[in-house]
Amino acid sequence: MQLIPYHNHPITIFFAITLATLLFSTLTIAKDPIRTVTGTVTKVSDGDTIHITTPEQTKLKVRLYGIDAPETSKINRKTG
């Protein structure tokens, strides 16, 4: 009986190739942005909310998706 080294076993190689394929394929699935805005950040309200003024002087409040920032306590007008 001949023993096959574990790292050269066909099932191990198959799983390694499958895992690599899944990891690299998920990188290309990202969606295009819905809208792109150019402007100047005029205020940071919290860690995930900013105020932007566009070149046309339009004021926007933008909440950043995927940012886990705690809310700041509202002690006075100068904080958060």
Side-chain angles (χ1 to χ4, degrees):
M1 178 162 135
Q2 181 181 6
L3 295 176
I4 300 173
Y6 183 72
H7 62 276
N8 287 335
H9 196 274
I11 293 176
T12 305
I13 294 171
F14 172 75
F15 282 122
I17 292 172
T18 303
L19 180 63
T21 303
L22 288 173
L23 288 174
F24 289 119
S25 66
T26 56
L27 296 175
T28 60
I29 297 177
K31 294 181 180 180
D32 289 334
I34 296 172
R35 179 174 151 188
T36 304
V37 178
T38 303
T40 303
V41 176
T42 54
K43 180 181 177 184
V44 177
S45 298
D46 278 327
D48 62 351
T49 307
I50 58 175
H51 295 260
I52 295 177
T53 302
T54 65
E56 297 83 23
Q57 300 305 311
T58 305
K59 295 182 179 183
L60 301 171
K61 179 179 178 181
V62 179
R63 301 237 19 219
L64 303 174
Y65 178 77
I67 304 295
D68 186 20
E71 298 296 322
T72 56
S73 58
K74 309 292 190 237
I75 299 169
N76 56 31
R77 289 181 179 228
K78 293 182 181 180
T79 59

